[in-house]
Amino acid sequence: MSMLGRVLATELKPSTPHQFHFWTAADAVLGIGTIVRVEGDARTVFGVVTEAVAYADLARPMDAVIGADGDPARTADDPTLRPEIRLWTAAVLRQLPEEPMQPVPLGTVTAASNDDVRIALRMDAYVNEDASTGIPIGLYAAGGMSAPVYLDADFLVGPEAAHLNITGVSGLATKTSAVTFLMQSLFQTFPAGKGSVAAVCFNVKGPDLCFLDQAAPLGTDDLALWRQLGLVASPFTDLTVYAPYKADGVNLNTLRSHPALVDRVEPLVWGLREILDYAEVVLNRDDVDAKADALLDFLADRVVGKRFDAPELRAAPFAVETFADLDELFRAIFDHLETTQRGGEVWRTHHVATIRKVRNRLGNIATRARGLVTDDGVANDLPWGEFRDRSVTVVDVAGVDPLAQDLVFARVISRLREHLERRDLGVDHIVVFVDELNKYAPADGPETHVKKMLLDLSERGRYLGLVLFSAQQFRSQVLRRVVGNAGTTAYGRMDSDELAMPGYATLPPAVKAKLAALPKGELLLRHPHFTQPVFVRFPRPASLSGREGIEHFPPAADLPFADAVIQRLRLLDPTVRADDVRALLADRPEVEVRAALSATTRRRPDAPFAFFRGMLRKTIPNTTPEPARGITPLAHDDADPFAPY
Amino acid sequence: MASLTFHPLRRRLALAGGHTATAAADAAGGRRETASYRPAKLVEGPLRAIAVGAPIAWTEPVAFLDGTQHVELLGYLGTDPVLGADVRAAVRVRRARRLTLSTEAHERLVVARPHALARLAPSLPGAVRAIPVDDAEPPHPIADAERAHALVDRARTALEIEVARRFRAVEPTTWCLVDGSLATSPDWARDPQMLGVVKSHATLPFTDDELHTYLTLPAGHRTSIFAPATRQVAPVYAWALRLHEWEGKDLFHGLLRIEAPATEHTLVHADAWSRHLLAERAPLAADRRADRLLYGIHDVERYLRARAGGG
């Protein structure tokens, strides 16, 4: 590498073990983020440029005015150009030897080579021929050279550290693209010896994550980037999108509804049993007092899904499987308190006010989360215990009520955790991607169940193999302990106001300025192995973005009830005949059809149509009996007043 | 405060049984001049102010020659003062508006009475030149120090002459502006492409009304050409040139004395050269003498000081 400059040190700008200054010629090719190598005093020091100044020998601004006789145009006529200094400040990445740690020597400065970048970022410890745990994240590029940058899998998905958090302004697709690319990289390079890995992505806005299995048309530059990183540009091959139904109960609430793509879309439907365990998600803090908690525990332990005898309410035992069943029980309790125990306020130690409150809140769920919560008791859930290695499960909650979103987050993450604790999820590591983290784990606001759960995930998830990839526009607005636990942090283009927040005080002004204008596809990256953050460029992911996906696969219009049922049955058995289904559905209540369809979707029987038909109640054709033919009526006699005809 | 440059010499002085001193000598950093009057002979009619016209920058390469000296009292051997000096000279050439080094020279000196030098000489590094002070006069620490200063001035001048010679060997026709008088060297005084730029006015060439005309010269004007009376070896022609307005400041503000070979050619081209020199007002040097210090000269001086370690 040719020499770029030379380290200088003065009393006011001394070299220290962590920082140094150097000067270069005005035309030297380097900038903020360039990694440099210093040689001197038998030491090698690697640093990253964090600040730069340039100035001439002009003592005072007034000298320029006097020298030009007050005419700015005349400055161009000066016979001599003032010499200009390009003075750079660099933060030390690594010193060799590492001990004793000393101030940076006044040596020569060169641009770092590929090998230098590997050593400077301490990647030599985990990127090697024998047992590499490196996950390509992007390219460090400066001065015409580029070098791959790797994250350490042990520090990305555990157990040493874990989690990734990315911050950046909205609208540049950087956050989603970066996470999508990193997941593709992770799936391709996750060391075999570390077990299996899968991803669960929450799609919280628009079609962002709905087309991850569809190949994106990549340009030559992007393909070259993929190759340089040693990766194959291919989309996810094992993808399932889970989405709740719309209010009609048959059309799925997702923008991935193009007929060519619906085969990988599954309904996400939960019943009372699934909801009750996470009731506190939908109850606010005032609601969840000890009394309400006790009643919910009573319902979960003694009532739901069991035969519940309450002779004081009615002779027959209750079989509570659905919200409707539960409401029947509540009505029986109220009847009992109002009639049998006139003026009574307590049923089995539970006060009537508590019972009414719990009934209202639970009833509210079915209304606000219609489509997600079924009233018929037939649920269709994520494949607990059957997650496949390198599979991606997208939970599309973009179109549902925020309360339902919270419910989905809480339940999915809690179940992931439970299964990982028992080691029966189907994979050893699961990456959970949550966008808009500032919405779900805000720095301010009440302690919600979702917030507590995300905090728990970020603090203890790495021991279980539960890894959080999260993104938000404003890191400063996210609970500090959640983002603080992210071993790897990335910043895309940032808003200037956000950069002015105290959380970014450690970034030099020039780095902030670069962040404020960072092009799409570039990130500032912090990783436990990197002493200082570095800028990297990553390729476009090999999957269609949400916007592209919508253009290529426009969402289908909502189908009429019968057509939607036919479509869902045909996903299970393409030979199902529309006329047969229509005939079967004629005049049947929709609620009954939905229940049968749910059961069929969940069971995936060998003969879906027959199963579906079997799940419907038997009906007697509604026909008007006609007079029997072939028997001659009795003769009519108008004169006979008692004649039958 | 004494610079670290002379630290090794002070150690050797101490080893030779001397008493070291840490104070910089008076007038450590430049030639010393005494205010005086030396009448000049006018060669271009009566003394008057002549407008030279609008500044015109040189388009061809121009060289700048300057020297620096740094003198320190190292200490005493007995009562004899021992001075150390660092003298430097360089020529930097401007091409396409950028200045780069053409040639430079450097010398480190120890100046003292001969017997003091004799005690010190065995331990002096080879790169240090010992210069004896004339010992015809009886020892006097202050007078000896002043004589030593004069010897350093002479050494610096010799170094400037040497770099000029080297420069001329490779660039015989490039314009060269010298900081100071051309009269110090017969070669310089004859060189048709060399001008002396004198900032100091300790020696004035006129009295009375002529002095008034001389010192109240308007900006952008020159005086009539005169031949200064000088102790130096080579005759030259000279004229004053005002670079900046002086009113409200000082009589000497922006006032230069320009020297050129004492030839008819100078009489013909004094205005044109003055216009070129006027253009050298900009950019303004970051120096307290900026009103008279051409930027190119300032650049050489700064270069030499940087080479000397900022002393």
Side-chain angles (χ1 to χ4, degrees), chain A residues 57-60 62-64 66-69 74-83, chain B residues 55 57 94 96-99 244 279-286 295-296 298-299 302:
Chain A
D57 65 350
L58 186 68
R60 296 159 300 185
M62 185 55 76
D63 288 352
I66 293 169
D69 275 347
R74 288 185 61 174
T75 305
D77 302 331
D78 286 354
T80 309
L81 287 177
R82 289 182 184 277
Chain B
R94 183 175 68 206
R97 304 178 73 199
R98 291 188 186 281
L99 284 156
H244 300 277
E280 297 292 331
R281 292 181 301 186
L284 211 59
Y295 189 86
H298 166 68
D299 176 81
R302 185 174 51 189

Side-chain angles (χ1 to χ4, degrees), chain A residues 375-517:
Chain A
D375 203 25
D376 56 29
V378 182
N380 192 59
D381 210 348
L382 269 60
W384 304 116
E386 296 168 3
F387 275 84
R388 296 175 297 278
D389 190 21
R390 268 68 172 178
S391 67
V392 177
T393 303
V394 174
V395 182
D396 189 354
V397 287
V400 304
D401 183 272
L403 178 96
Q405 283 189 358
D406 286 358
L407 195 62
V408 172
F409 275 119
R411 182 160 188 279
V412 169
I413 293 174
S414 298
R415 291 299 303 275
L416 286 171
R417 185 192 165 121
E418 289 164 20
H419 283 279
L420 282 169
E421 278 176 347
R422 295 197 301 264
R423 296 282 162 208
D424 66 354
L425 185 63
V427 290
D428 301 307
H429 303 86
I430 197 100
V431 172
V432 175
F433 175 43
V434 179
D435 200 355
E436 307 291 343
L437 191 63
N438 49 318
K439 181 176 164 189
Y440 303 107
D444 305 319
E447 286 292 311
T448 64
H449 184 84
V450 172
K451 192 195 242 183
K452 283 190 282 189
M453 185 199 59
L454 286 168
L455 182 59
D456 183 69
L457 192 168
S458 66
E459 289 183 336
R460 281 171 282 278
R462 66 189 168 107
Y463 301 112
L464 302 171
L466 185 55
V467 182
L468 177 65
F469 282 11
S470 54
Q472 68 284 316
Q473 188 173 357
F474 303 115
R475 182 183 163 92
S476 63
Q477 293 178 11
V478 180
L479 189 62
R480 198 171 165 185
R481 283 165 64 195
V482 173
V483 289
N485 275 300
T488 304
T489 306
Y491 306 89
R493 184 186 292 183
M494 303 277 290
D495 185 82
S496 300
D497 289 346
E498 173 69 4
L499 283 168
M501 302 302 285
Y504 303 94
T506 55
L507 295 177
V511 173
K512 288 185 186 177
K514 181 162 179 173
L515 273 176

Side-chain angles (χ1 to χ4, degrees), chain B residues 58-238:
Chain B
W58 267 292
T59 53
E60 63 269 43
V62 178
F64 297 88
L65 188 158
D66 196 7
T68 58
Q69 66 195 72
H70 181 76
V71 188
E72 281 192 23
L73 179 65
L74 301 180
Y76 297 90
L77 268 170
T79 57
D80 296 331
V82 180
L83 276 78
D86 183 272
V87 292
R88 293 169 184 270
V91 177
R92 287 168 65 82
V93 182
R94 183 175 68 206
R95 290 188 175 86
R97 304 178 73 199
R98 291 188 186 281
L99 284 156
T100 53
L101 180 70
S102 173
T103 182
E104 68 177 316
H106 164 227
E107 200 169 29
R108 191 157 292 176
L109 311 171
V110 171
V111 191
R113 282 190 168 250
H115 64 271
L117 286 179
R119 283 176 61 186
L120 201 55
S123 61
L124 284 179
V128 177
R129 182 159 70 99
I131 301 179
V133 174
D134 183 8
D135 58 357
E137 299 291 327
H140 186 297
I142 295 173
D144 283 356
E146 285 180 355
R147 280 193 282 274
H149 268 292
L151 290 169
V152 172
D153 285 349
R154 201 177 299 166
R156 169 184 161 178
T157 301
L159 218 53
E160 289 175 346
I161 291 170
E162 171 59 18
V163 294
R165 186 190 62 76
R166 285 190 220 161
F167 173 69
R168 271 290 174 250
V170 291
E171 300 202 35
T173 59
T174 300
W175 269 107
C176 182
L177 305 187
V178 177
D179 180 43
S181 174
L182 291 188
T184 51
S185 161
D187 289 342
W188 294 5
R190 285 194 296 268
D191 193 325
Q193 294 290 96
M194 200 174 248
L195 295 175
V197 181
V198 184
K199 301 186 294 292
S200 166
H201 298 283
T203 301
L204 288 171
F206 301 106
T207 56
D208 303 328
D209 290 345
E210 287 180 329
L211 181 63
H212 184 266
T213 303
Y214 188 84
L215 294 183
T216 59
L217 192 65
H221 287 66
R222 70 170 177 91
T223 62
S224 312
I225 296 170
F226 55 89
T230 174
R231 293 175 299 179
Q232 304 289 348
V233 292
V236 293
Y237 282 168

